[in-house]
């Protein structure tokens, strides 16, 4: 299964050259963006690109001809996503520090939480929907979210005041623990759902 995780990195060697320049672009040009958005982009980059590549190349046919079970294939996706997210966010933290871009541990935590939530939503779509341009649509959607982030934050502040006040009143440890628990359950449910879909697919 380790080879399956390594494969996600190998198949996108050319795209990896864009990773650090993209992070640097957001660091310098995205000063209006919260730091956690950049961490989300960093964590999102490799796993979603790998899915997009497989979607276009119909790699699942090849994977199912190799000596791996479908359970292992799905597990490698979800475990690999966590691994590459951690490495990518680690690189982003180093770049933030080198170029004196301010960030907090809360930014890192929020970035990880949002990234895992996006994975949990996006991954089953690659197995549930017909192959085509799912990956491209997800990436474009993410870029739009980043571009419209300021508008979104303003909207949330105006219309979700009561929720914001409730979250502000909650203790920080309790908020982080409950959020982590919800995200873990969502990610696990997504993993099981993807596995169920994949087991039934014909390639």
């Amino acid at each position: 299964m380790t080879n399956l995780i390594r494969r996600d990195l190998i198949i996108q060697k050319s795209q990896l050259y864009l990773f650090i320049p993209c992070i640097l672009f957001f660091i310098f040009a995205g000063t209006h963006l919260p730091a956690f958005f950049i961490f989300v982009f960093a964590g999102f980059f490799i796993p979603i690109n790998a899915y997009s590549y497989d979607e276009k190349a119909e790699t699942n046919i090849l994977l199912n001809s190799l000596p791996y079970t479908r359970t292992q294939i799905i597990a490698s996706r979800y475990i690999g996503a966590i691994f590459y997210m951690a490495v990518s966010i680690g690189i982003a933290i180093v770049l933030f520090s080198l170029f004196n871009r301010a960030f907090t541990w809360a930014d890192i935590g929020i970035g990880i939480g949002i990234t895992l939530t996006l994975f949990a939503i996006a991954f089953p779509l690659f197995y549930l929907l017909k192959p085509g341009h799912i990956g491209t649509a997800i990436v474009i959607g993410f870029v739009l979210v980043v571009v419209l982030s300021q508008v979104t934050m303003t909207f949330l502040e105006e219309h979700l005041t009561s929720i914001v006040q409730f979250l502000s009143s909650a203790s920080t440890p309790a908020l982080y623990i409950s959020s982590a628990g919800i995200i873990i359950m969502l990610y696990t449910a997504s993993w099981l759902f993807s596995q169920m879909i994949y087991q039934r697919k014909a390639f």
Side-chain angles (χ1 to χ4, degrees), residues 40-111:
V40 171
F41 174 82
F44 203 66
F45 191 90
I46 294 176
I48 291 299
N49 272 337
Y51 261 107
S52 298
Y53 176 88
D54 286 351
E55 180 194 19
K56 294 173 183 176
E58 297 185 356
T59 309
N60 284 305
I61 297 174
L62 173 62
L63 290 177
N64 279 272
S65 68
L66 298 174
Y68 298 107
T69 66
R70 294 193 175 193
T71 299
Q72 289 176 318
I73 293 171
I74 295 297
S76 71
R77 288 299 199 185
Y78 278 79
I79 295 171
I82 294 174
F83 173 75
Y84 288 123
M85 176 195 69
V87 172
S88 299
I89 290 179
I91 293 172
I93 290 171
V94 171
L95 293 175
F96 267 71
S97 301
L98 286 175
F99 295 98
N100 296 317
R101 171 70 190 267
F103 70 95
T104 65
W105 285 106
D107 289 319
I108 298 172
I110 293 170

Side-chain angles (χ1 to χ4, degrees), residues 5-23 41-42 44-50 84 87-88 91 95:
I5 295 174
R6 288 178 57 234
R7 184 195 67 91
D8 288 347
L9 195 64
I10 294 170
I11 61 175
Q12 48 182 318
K13 280 184 178 179
S14 59
Q15 293 178 342
L16 290 177
Y17 292 114
L18 299 174
F19 176 70
I20 290 180
C22 284
I23 299 299
F41 174 82
F44 203 66
F45 191 90
I46 294 176
I48 291 299
N49 272 337
Y84 288 123
V87 172
S88 299
I91 293 172
L95 293 175

